Amino acid sequence: MEIKTEDYSIESVDNTKSVIAGILRLTSPAAYEKDFEHIQKGITDSSTGYTVDIANVNFMNSSGITALSRLVLLARQGNKSLTLVINESIPWQKKTISSLKKLYEKLEIRS
Amino acid sequence: MRLNSVYGIYQEKDNGKPALSELGLRFVPLDLIAHWRRCGITADFLAEFLAYNFLNQKTAMSVVSTLLNELLENAVKFSADKHKRVNLTVCHYGDTITVETTNSADEKQAQHFDTLVQRLLSVDAETLFLNQIEHTAENDTDASGLGLISMKKDFNVEYGVKIVPDTGSDDYVVSVKVRLKSEEVDQNGN
C-alpha cells in the first residue's frame, strides 16, 4: 500500500516495514490518523517486530511527532518490538526522536 | 479578573541593540487554515532568509523552519477571531535570532495557554515533553504545546509570552517571542 501526496509518501514495503518520506505538516494529530492506519495495523499484527523508516522525512510538525509517538505507545501497549530508522543529519530527527526511547525500552532507534 | 500576564524574555529590559535584519509579515488566519501549506511555505521562505546569518546554512534552514512553522501554526490555529490579523516578525541580532507572533485568543484559549507557559518556564523540558505525549495520547487535544516544548528541549530556545486584554473586546492579544542562539544551531551542524 502506498499513500502519495504532493508533499509526502507513506509506503508499506511489506508486513514488517513502512517508509515515510517528504514533508509532513498536517493540521492536527487526528489528520495523521488515516495515513498512519496501516502502520498501526502492521504494529498490532506484528510477531517479529515492525520498522518505520523516517530517514527521508525532512520536516514533521509537532502534530506529526504526536502521531509518531502514538505508534510508539501502541507498540508499548501490545509489547511489540518497534524500530525507527532516522537520519541523524536532520536536526529534529536527531534531537526529538531520540527522546521517544524514554517512552518504551523496546523501541530501537537507528540511523 | 482578566488575565494580564508577562513572562520570560518580555520581562527583560530592552538593551537597545538594533536588529541587523528584520522582516515582518501579516496574515489572515482563516486564509492559512484554508490553505494550510502556506504555513510551511512561509516558514521555509523565512528560514532561508535567515539561514544566511548562520555558519551551517543547511542546519539553520532546518531548525529555523521547524521553529517558524510551529509558531505560525499555533498563532493561526489558536486565533479566536479567524479574521483578525496574525503578525509574524523575525529579527537577527548577530548572535541570536528572534521570532515573534501576535494573535487573538478567547478567554478559554488564553487561560489554557497561560497555564502551559507557566509549566514551560518552570518544568524541565524533557520531562514536560514525555508527559505531554502521554497526556495527549489519552486526551485527543490539539493544544499540547509539544512544538514549543520540543524547541526548548532540543535547541534551548528562550521564550517570552504576553497575554493582555484586547481593548474593546472580551478577547486577548497573545504575543509569543522566541530567542534562538546561533551557537545552538551551529553546534548541531554536520
Side-chain angles (χ1 to χ4, degrees), chain A residues 92-104:
Chain A
W92 72 266
Q93 292 203 16
K94 183 181 170 186
K95 294 275 194 172
T96 310
I97 300 302
S98 61
S99 294
L100 299 183
K101 175 81 182 156
K102 291 178 181 163
L103 289 172
Y104 183 36

Side-chain angles (χ1 to χ4, degrees), chain A residues 29-100:
Chain A
Y32 283 86
E33 285 294 312
K34 196 169 184 307
D35 286 353
F36 281 8
E37 228 167 38
H38 64 281
I39 303 178
Q40 291 167 357
K41 188 171 184 314
I43 292 169
T44 307
D45 294 347
S46 72
S47 54
T48 56
Y50 197 85
T51 298
V52 182
D53 183 339
I54 60 165
N56 287 311
V57 177
N58 290 323
F59 290 110
M60 181 177 268
N61 64 4
S62 58
S63 297
I65 302 296
T66 300
L68 202 60
S69 305
R70 284 178 180 165
L71 296 178
V72 177
L73 296 179
L74 180 70
R76 185 180 75 179
Q77 193 181 14
N79 196 27
K80 307 281 185 180
S81 296
L82 178 66
T83 301
L84 290 178
V85 180
I86 67 163
N87 181 347
E88 288 203 329
S89 68
I90 298 176
W92 72 266
Q93 292 203 16
K94 183 181 170 186
K95 294 275 194 172
T96 310
I97 300 302
S98 61
S99 294
L100 299 183

